[in-house]
Amino acid sequence: MPGAQQHFETVAKLLLKNGASPVVKDVTGKTVAHYGAGGMATKMTLAVTDMCIRAAKSHHLFGKDVKLQGLKTEEMNEKIGIVGGFDPDSNRRDVYLTEDNKEVWIKFENILLHDQTSKCQPYPLLTDIQDRLGSVSLHELVMPSESPIATILDETAEFLLKKHNTSIYTEDCDGCSPLQMVSGLGQYFSERAVSKLVMEAATKKGRETRKARKQEGLSCANCNDCFDESNGGKLLVCSRCKVVRYCGRDCQVQHWKEHKKECVVLSSISGGVTLGSPSEFEIGDGLSMFTQSFRGGGSNFRSDSGYKKPRGKKRNEKFVIKCQGNEDSSPILIYDQTRTSQFYLRPEQKGFKEILKAIRNEPAWQGRKTFMKASFDENGICTVYPEKAGVKSHYTW
């Protein structure tokens, strides 16, 4: 019914232009986004939701006294007016100029609150506003649906995640976010297309966070400067812990009193953490191991102990392992790319806290997994190196 769909869009435009609130909620706390960009979304409802999302970004100014700024027509700047409705076609707000007694349509960036002391905060992104149970529309998309009407779930997910950057971390009243719903075993019970898009968004966010942290980390621990001309613009690394950086010797000496205790801890980690003997892992206890790729895909069941060096590796030869888990009370799953070295590390066992800390400090995968180096010695004892892994973004398994 193309005609009917166009009619609804026309009505939505008319309402917004006349000042209808795009952030209004019903008795259950749901907004337009819950209904228009949820499991029952259609192309028409997505179009209406898109209008409301754009209108919500400037709706906090509705009815407020403002002044105009940054306009090409100089005589219009500094004029005072009252903000009215939103035009979805032009992305402009209606401003009634009180002195001139006329209406003009102005872009959001050219509107400034007249009273700068006014506590007028922008609304959150419309698709991140929660209902009374804490849910957003993305929660509904993740859940599997057998409805014949829900035929554009992947398109709706792209609308939310790629076009409007909807958060994947919003938790409902049970403390469950869309990311948690598609992680781990959840990926086998959620909508596969939506799950993939959520994980892609998580990876992208993680890379951005990791890049920002890396840039922040490339500064002197003492003075926060990025370089010192006396050493050619290069940062010096503490020779003991190999982690903390300084722009020069003077800063290193000044910072030593503060860094001393931390250096001992960092040195012990960078030198490797011994996980213990095989007997500590209760070999033969019948524990069934289930592993899965963070990015979705294959699974692998094992009942034998995998606490051993990988196939093709020599004693004391370092290799890359993946560590998965983020709970204090749950085991950490550790395995190499071939899965020939694969075992669980339980909370009470040596090395658990160090590896868990490394996982939680890894921004690229939201503190749920990380990669590091490991090796097995002549006695079959495993040592892991949380500070060593190379370029982690290269690992896709």
Side-chain angles (χ1 to χ4, degrees):
M1 301 173 63
Q5 292 184 5
Q6 187 176 6
H7 173 69
F8 283 123
E9 292 179 31
T10 302
V11 171
K13 290 179 182 180
L14 182 63
L15 289 171
L16 291 171
K17 289 184 74 171
N18 283 276
S21 173
V23 294
V24 68
K25 296 182 176 182
D26 65 9
V27 292
T28 65
K30 295 186 183 296
T31 66
V32 171
H34 287 89
Y35 294 108
M40 305 297 285
T42 65
K43 292 184 182 295
M44 180 273 294
T45 64
L46 289 180
V48 172
T49 303
D50 181 70
M51 297 178 201
C52 292
I53 292 172
R54 289 183 282 122
K57 292 178 180 179
S58 58
H59 188 69
H60 63 289
L61 297 175
F62 181 79
K64 300 291 192 298
D65 291 330
V66 297
K67 65 179 178 180
L68 308 185
Q69 63 171 8
L71 295 170
K72 291 182 179 180
T73 307
E74 289 294 334
E75 58 267 24
M76 290 293 291
N77 290 321
E78 302 301 320
K79 284 188 177 292
I80 308 301
I82 302 174
V83 176
F86 175 80
D87 179 21
D89 291 328
S90 63
N91 273 337
R92 295 171 185 260
R93 278 277 173 186
D94 177 26
V95 179
Y96 173 73
L97 301 178
T98 51
E99 290 185 1
D100 297 352
N101 192 28
K102 70 175 183 179
E103 294 182 47
V104 291
W105 291 90
I106 306 294
K107 291 182 179 179
F108 173 45
E109 56 265 31
N110 298 121
I111 301 175
L112 185 69
L113 273 172
H114 182 51
D115 181 9
Q116 291 297 299
T117 62
S118 174
K119 295 182 180 179
C120 180
Q121 297 297 323
Y123 288 96
L125 180 66
L126 183 59
T127 54
D128 287 338
I129 295 179
Q130 299 164 277
D131 63 15
R132 293 177 66 178
L133 295 178
S135 297
V136 294
S137 55
L138 193 54
H139 280 104
E140 185 177 343
L141 285 185
V142 171
M143 296 297 292
S145 174
E146 297 180 359
S147 171
I149 304 177
T151 57
I152 59 168
L153 292 179
D154 52 345
E155 185 177 330
T156 306
E158 286 191 9
F159 170 85
L160 292 172
L161 297 170
K162 294 186 177 182
K163 185 172 183 178
H164 291 294
N165 199 29
T166 299
S167 174
I168 58 176
Y169 307 108
T170 304
E171 295 183 350
D172 61 16
C173 61
D174 293 319
C176 190
S177 69
L179 178 59
Q180 290 173 314
M181 293 173 71
V182 303
S183 300
L185 290 174
Q187 64 182 295
Y188 297 103
F189 301 100
S190 57
E191 282 291 337
R192 191 166 184 81
V194 178
S195 174
K196 182 180 178 181
L197 289 168
V198 171
M199 298 311 295
E200 287 177 356
T203 302
K204 179 182 177 182
K205 181 65 176 177
R207 286 173 179 167
E208 292 172 352
T209 305
R210 187 178 177 189
K211 183 178 180 180
R213 286 192 183 180
K214 185 177 180 181
Q215 291 174 340
E216 291 173 1
L218 294 179
S219 59
C220 176
N222 183 59
C223 68
N224 253 351
D225 218 341
C226 294
F227 64 90
D228 183 359
E229 292 181 359
S230 64
N231 58 37
K234 296 181 180 179
L235 289 171
L236 305 178
V237 181
C238 174
S239 59
R240 185 175 182 182
C241 69
K242 311 291 185 185
V243 176
V244 179
R245 296 175 172 85
Y246 300 98
C247 60
R249 178 165 175 75
D250 289 343
C251 275
Q252 185 175 13
V253 172
Q254 293 172 20
H255 193 248
W256 174 244
K257 186 176 181 180
E258 180 180 342
H259 175 57
K260 187 175 181 179
K261 291 183 179 179
E262 179 188 43
C263 189
V264 175
V265 177
L266 292 174
S267 298
S268 63
I269 294 177
S270 61
V273 178
T274 301
L275 298 187
S277 64
S279 60
E280 295 180 46
F281 291 88
E282 301 177 22
I283 294 178
D285 65 356
L287 178 65
S288 177
M289 301 183 183
F290 177 73
T291 65
Q292 58 195 20
S293 169
F294 180 78
R295 300 182 67 174
S299 59
N300 184 23
F301 287 89
R302 297 176 58 91
S303 58
D304 60 316
S305 172
Y307 185 81
K308 57 188 177 184
K309 66 180 183 66
R311 183 177 59 243
K313 297 295 180 181
K314 299 178 181 179
R315 297 295 182 187
N316 296 313
E317 180 182 356
K318 291 185 176 66
F319 58 94
V320 178
I321 57 171
K322 178 191 281 188
C323 305
Q324 291 181 239
N326 68 344
E327 299 292 337
D328 294 302
S329 58
S330 300
I332 295 173
L333 177 60
I334 300 173
Y335 57 96
D336 78 308
Q337 188 171 7
T338 67
R339 304 296 203 277
T340 53
S341 177
Q342 178 175 292
F343 54 91
Y344 279 103
L345 184 63
R346 298 194 178 104
E348 67 273 12
Q349 292 172 322
K350 185 178 179 181
F352 179 87
K353 291 182 179 179
E354 290 86 348
I355 295 179
L356 184 62
K357 181 179 180 181
I359 292 174
R360 288 175 171 174
N361 288 338
E362 177 53 65
W365 295 286
Q366 294 71 51
R368 294 182 176 278
K369 73 171 183 178
T370 192
F371 293 88
M372 62 184 68
K373 293 288 183 70
S375 66
F376 280 84
D377 64 16
E378 293 81 358
N379 298 314
I381 305 301
C382 181
T383 300
V384 297
Y385 305 87
E387 299 298 324
K388 299 179 181 179
V391 183
K392 296 182 182 180
S393 61
H394 290 173
Y395 307 131
T396 58
W397 44 277

